[in-house]
Amino acid sequence: MALPPNRPPSLRSITVSAQAAPVNAGKNVTSNASSPFSITVTDTGDATSAVGTSAQTLSRPAGQQILVSWQADDPDGDKLSYGLWFRGEDERDWKLLRADINENMYLLDGDVLADGRYFFRVVGSDRPSNPPNQARQVELIGPPVMIEHTPPAIHAGDERPGATQVEGWRQ
C-alpha cells in the first residue's frame, strides 16, 4: 500500500512586537549591545543647570528586543523547521536572520536594525519529517514594520518675559 502524498505546511500569520529585554537573554538574541540614554527636563527648560529646581528623568529601557512570531501547522502532523529573513523597504534582496529554527518565534536585539521600515519573511519546511525529495515548504511575508530607535528630542522655544503659558499648558 502506498503512502498518501506529503501535503505542504501552512503559515497563517507573522507578528512583530517590541519586548523588554530579560536580564539573561535567550539563545536567539543576536547581540547584547545596548545604548541606554536618558533625558533630564527641568522646570526652567535648562537641562544643564538644575540647581534649586526639581528635575524629572525619562529613561529608555536598555536592551529593547524585537520578537518575531508566526502561526504555522502541518496537515500531516510533520515536524517543521523555519528560516527567518528580512529586508528594508527600499531593498530587493532578503537577508537571512537565522535558519533551522525549531520554535515559532525568534527574539533579536532591537539595536541590530537601524531606523526604518522592514519586512520579515518566514519559510516553513517539513523536511525534518520527510526525505529531501518529498519535503515541502511554504513562505509568508508579513506586513511592513517600522523600527524607531531615535530618542525623543526636546527643543526649547523662545523665552518671553512675563510669559505664563507654554503652548497647550497653563500655569
Side-chain angles (χ1 to χ4, degrees):
M1 177 159 69
L3 292 173
N6 183 30
R7 295 177 288 176
S10 172
L11 282 166
R12 294 185 305 280
S13 67
I14 298 174
T15 303
V16 180
S17 59
Q19 302 286 315
V23 175
N24 292 321
K27 62 183 176 184
N28 290 342
V29 177
T30 59
S31 170
N32 290 328
S34 63
S35 54
F37 61 86
S38 65
I39 300 169
T40 302
V41 180
T42 66
D43 57 3
T44 64
D46 183 355
T48 59
S49 174
V51 178
T53 61
S54 61
Q56 178 182 7
T57 301
L58 306 173
S59 298
R60 172 185 177 254
Q64 186 74 12
Q65 295 180 325
I66 299 169
L67 176 65
V68 182
S69 59
W70 51 92
Q71 291 185 343
D73 57 37
D74 188 271
D76 301 323
D78 293 337
K79 183 176 178 175
L80 301 176
S81 68
Y82 308 96
L84 179 61
W85 304 74
F86 79 99
R87 70 171 175 84
E89 181 178 46
D90 298 329
E91 298 174 341
R92 287 186 28 188
D93 297 329
W94 290 95
K95 297 169 192 77
L96 180 66
L97 274 171
R98 175 118 188 236
D100 298 322
I101 302 170
N102 294 318
E103 296 99 23
N104 288 34
M105 70 173 96
Y106 186 76
L107 190 62
L108 65 136
D109 187 344
D111 294 335
V112 169
L113 300 174
D115 288 358
R117 191 177 304 262
Y118 292 89
F119 292 92
F120 291 90
R121 177 178 78 174
V122 175
V123 177
S125 173
D126 62 5
R127 78 173 178 263
S129 297
N130 291 284
N133 64 336
Q134 294 179 9
R136 306 284 301 270
Q137 75 177 32
V138 65
E139 71 177 55
L140 180 65
I141 299 171
V145 175
M146 184 67 170
I147 305 293
E148 178 74 37
H149 300 293
T150 306
I154 298 174
H155 302 282
D158 294 333
E159 191 173 317
R160 293 178 285 165
T164 59
Q165 183 173 320
V166 176
E167 200 171 82
W169 294 54
R170 294 185 188 265
Q171 240 179 341

